[in-house]
Amino acid sequence: MSRKKLVVILALIAVVGLALEPGETEFEHNGWFRYTNQSTAFKVAEPSVSRLSLERGYIRLSHQWAPSFFTKMTVDIFSSDKYPEGATVRLKEAYADLAAPFLRDFNITAGLQKHYFGLIYSWDYTHPEKELADEQGICGSADYGVTLNGFLPAGLGELQFGVYNGEGYKYAGKYVNTSPELLGNLRITSLPGITLGASIFTNSADISHYKNDRKGRVTEGGNIYFMNADTANINRLAYAPMFKLAFGPFSLLGEYLGYSYTRRFSYYQINRDTLGNIVDSTLVVKKKDYRMNGVDLVPVVTLPGRTVEIFGRFSIWDRREQSGDSMMLNRDKSFIRYGTGFNYHFVRREKGKPGLEFQFAWTRTQPKNSALQPTDVLLAQVRFEWSALVPKPQM
């Protein structure tokens, strides 16, 4: 089988599901048992974090109702002290695929589904940490929405358009976004082993109480202010050119991220008379621009037999915030990250999917404020994935 045909088949599997026969159901379980050691300046024996956790416990059910109708649900059962809820259950996917009328090789997906931005939906966790856009909170890895997904003629690539809620899949009540997010994504595989693409989304307003709430009293210029909770990020725009090169045992995955928004916030200024008594208050409304960009590169070498993968990672992240008429670099929140690691596959499933593997990774994150110490993270993980096909019952 040619490499181009293999790429097309894997892309089809990723987008339209598992290619089950009508009436068939697939049950799948993914588990990640992880140890994390985080320290400052590689003081492994004096870690700030030393954690054992079940990072992921996906239970998936997929059912092919008819050739043109497919549904899937994923529940994540996890246990980690890095989350305030500790051990809990979270819905990660719940969607239906319907073949698009009059559009060959296109389908409509509705429900809680993957986010087709940047490398999120194609991130296979060869490196066990998150993709950069997901990690930096540009968008959630999954969201509620409706998308149109399909393939370009002659196996040239794939295309997605989507409308999402915009706040991700973890929030409810007052945190749910009331302004839809519009997304477009394109991947071109014109030559075997070379994939180029880009994605973009825009969201007019994100009512992000959970990100922007600054409670309590602040003092500025001798005045006392009480922060409001009606903050929002407006004019959100993100774009992500990407590429993947794969030749023989070598591959290189990379993306550039650009993200900008304006934060709207307000507060009450307390007014006093000449004796210092409070007489009234004045609502003050302000805006502040934010602009971020980053680069993420993941080179991988797969040794003969596909049992061992050796990977690296190099990331840059710059966060700029408005100060007067300038966009100043926030050096405390900007960083350079690099590291390496390996995966050992005890078992691979069909089509190269992970079965049972051991993963080890080391990363160092150096803030661009040279006065701050670097953070080192050592991560060891057993990852296991298996599935079972439930055939169509005989009538």
Side-chain angles (χ1 to χ4, degrees):
M1 180 182 296
S2 69
R3 183 183 297 275
K4 189 169 184 176
K5 286 184 178 178
L6 179 60
V7 170
V8 172
I9 290 172
L10 291 177
L12 279 165
I13 292 169
V15 174
V16 303
L18 301 169
L20 301 175
E21 294 294 328
E24 288 184 340
T25 300
E26 185 176 78
F27 175 80
E28 185 176 11
H29 181 216
N30 297 178
W32 296 4
F33 182 61
R34 176 181 293 184
Y35 172 71
T36 303
N37 181 297
Q38 178 175 314
S39 63
T40 301
F42 211 71
K43 295 179 180 176
V44 180
E46 303 174 21
S48 56
V49 174
S50 180
R51 173 192 300 128
L52 285 168
S53 58
L54 181 63
E55 287 288 314
R56 175 170 293 181
Y58 283 176
I59 294 178
R60 287 192 171 103
L61 278 176
S62 305
H63 184 71
Q64 191 76 45
W65 295 79
S68 61
F69 189 55
F70 169 85
T71 59
K72 186 175 186 179
M73 183 180 74
T74 300
V75 174
D76 186 8
I77 304 172
F78 59 89
S79 176
S80 174
D81 63 6
K82 71 179 180 182
Y83 300 113
E85 62 268 47
T88 190
V89 179
R90 181 180 291 166
L91 185 63
K92 186 63 187 286
E93 289 178 307
Y95 64 81
D97 276 345
L98 176 66
F102 312 115
L103 289 174
R104 185 180 177 183
D105 297 329
F106 273 77
N107 66 308
I108 299 170
T109 302
L112 177 57
Q113 56 183 294
K114 286 188 176 182
H115 200 291
Y116 290 93
F117 177 74
L119 293 176
I120 286 178
Y121 82 96
S122 55
W123 190 258
D124 62 2
Y125 292 95
T126 297
H127 190 288
E129 288 286 29
K130 291 182 177 181
E131 182 268 353
L132 189 60
D134 183 13
E135 174 194 78
Q136 293 301 313
I138 294 178
C139 56
S141 59
D143 202 351
Y144 295 88
V146 179
T147 57
L148 176 67
N149 313 280
F151 298 96
L152 303 176
L156 188 61
E158 57 181 287
L159 182 67
Q160 283 92 24
F161 295 106
V163 180
Y164 291 96
N165 265 3
E167 81 279 356
Y169 65 101
K170 300 178 183 177
Y171 305 101
K174 68 177 184 178
Y175 301 129
V176 173
N177 200 347
T178 56
S179 172
E181 172 193 303
L182 305 178
L183 175 139
N185 178 57
L186 174 66
R187 298 285 175 90
I188 301 292
T189 307
S190 57
L191 296 172
I194 301 177
T195 300
L196 302 175
S199 54
I200 184 170
F201 80 74
T202 182
N203 185 204
S204 59
D206 171 15
I207 311 300
S208 301
H209 299 269
Y210 53 92
K211 294 178 181 175
N212 295 332
D213 275 2
R214 184 179 178 187
K215 299 177 181 178
R217 187 176 67 179
V218 296
T219 302
E220 182 179 301
N223 295 315
I224 299 174
Y225 304 100
F226 289 87
M227 300 300 293
N228 245 344
D230 62 344
T231 58
N233 296 334
I234 59 176
N235 303 326
R236 295 178 67 211
L237 175 66
Y239 52 93
M242 60 76 62
F243 70 90
K244 183 173 184 178
L245 309 176
F247 299 100
F250 304 100
S251 68
L252 177 62
L253 184 65
E255 66 176 334
Y256 174 84
L257 296 173
Y259 179 44
S260 62
Y261 63 87
T262 298
R263 181 189 166 197
R264 184 181 61 205
F265 60 101
S266 62
Y267 46 75
Y268 284 95
Q269 173 182 309
I270 302 301
N271 302 317
R272 300 175 185 273
D273 60 19
T274 55
L275 299 176
N277 299 313
I278 296 177
V279 292
D280 58 16
S281 61
T282 304
L283 179 63
V284 180
V285 179
K286 285 190 174 183
K287 294 180 180 179
K288 184 176 180 178
D289 292 331
Y290 294 81
R291 187 169 68 232
M292 283 148 268
N293 55 73
V295 173
D296 205 14
L297 299 172
V298 181
V300 180
V301 177
T302 304
L303 299 183
R306 306 191 67 195
T307 301
V308 177
E309 297 164 325
I310 300 173
F311 58 79
R313 189 165 189 185
F314 178 76
S315 311
I316 298 176
W317 185 251
D318 284 346
R319 176 186 174 95
R320 296 183 179 276
E321 302 175 4
Q322 181 184 357
S323 178
D325 295 330
S326 302
M327 295 296 294
M328 303 296 292
L329 181 68
N330 185 330
R331 295 187 176 278
D332 291 358
K333 295 183 179 179
S334 302
F335 61 83
I336 295 175
R337 178 177 58 195
Y338 51 88
T340 187
F342 70 90
N343 299 326
Y344 184 88
H345 292 263
F346 295 97
V347 177
R348 276 190 186 272
R349 293 190 291 165
E350 60 180 3
K351 302 182 181 72
K353 297 175 70 174
L356 175 63
E357 66 175 309
F358 175 77
Q359 297 182 283
F360 178 83
W362 162 73
T363 56
R364 164 165 285 198
T365 302
Q366 176 64 63
K368 291 197 171 180
N369 181 351
S370 58
L372 299 178
Q373 293 288 319
T375 299
D376 291 282
V377 176
L378 295 172
L379 187 156
Q381 176 172 279
V382 175
R383 175 183 178 181
F384 48 94
E385 300 185 6
W386 61 275
S387 62
L389 185 65
V390 181
K392 180 180 179 180
Q394 299 296 318
M395 302 300 292

